[in-house]
Amino acid sequence: MRIGDLARETGVNRRLLRYYEEQGLLRPARLPNGYREYGDADVTAVRHIRTMLAAGLPTAAIARLLDCVHDDGERMVPAACPGMVASLRRERRRIAESIARLRTSQEALDSMLATVLKQPG
């Protein structure tokens, strides 16, 4: 299938599919005319990529982990590949730190709002 077919099949636009290719997440075959040729495995890979992106993983981590997941017919299932647990823990820690920074920012904004709202007028 061509990139337009993959875009329709996955709901991901062509530009983003090309980006996934640039990041090493997709490796389509190239036809003699230079067109990309995708297969059913690429449809599954795009679903896995989207699932991992939704979990907050950056594309660099996805590139390391993509070969460590498979599809059970309904959803992505991670396998215990070397480095999988360490990578997921590292990314979870990074996200937890971001959440903590955002909570601190939210508390500061809440404080400013409370001060402004207490002022007359």
Side-chain angles (χ1 to χ4, degrees):
M1 80 181 73
R2 302 277 167 72
I3 194 166
D5 301 321
L6 183 63
R8 278 188 294 285
E9 182 79 22
T10 61
V12 175
N13 71 51
R14 294 173 189 209
R15 186 170 181 218
L16 202 46
L17 293 172
R18 286 187 199 100
Y19 174 74
Y20 294 165
E21 183 181 351
E22 289 170 11
Q23 298 301 304
L25 305 177
L26 291 176
R27 295 174 203 92
R30 289 285 185 158
L31 300 175
N33 62 6
Y35 288 0
R36 294 166 178 88
E37 182 69 25
Y38 297 94
D40 292 337
D42 294 305
V43 173
T44 301
V46 171
R47 279 200 317 268
H48 293 170
I49 292 164
R50 302 300 293 168
T51 299
M52 289 191 265
L53 285 169
L57 296 175
T59 56
I62 293 170
R64 289 190 309 272
L65 300 174
L66 193 56
D67 290 335
C68 295
V69 299
H70 67 277
D71 204 84
D72 73 356
E74 293 183 25
R75 61 187 175 92
M76 182 188 81
V77 179
C81 290
M84 170 68 93
V85 172
S87 288
L88 292 177
R89 283 184 175 153
R90 183 175 42 256
E91 293 306 323
R92 187 184 186 290
R93 210 170 23 257
R94 181 185 59 79
I95 290 170
E97 290 167 0
S98 293
I99 290 169
R101 283 191 302 275
L102 287 170
R103 282 194 179 124
T104 299
S105 296
Q106 183 181 30
E107 290 167 5
L109 286 171
D110 288 347
S111 176
M112 285 190 270
L113 277 169
T115 301
V116 168
L117 292 173
K118 288 179 186 176
Q119 294 176 0

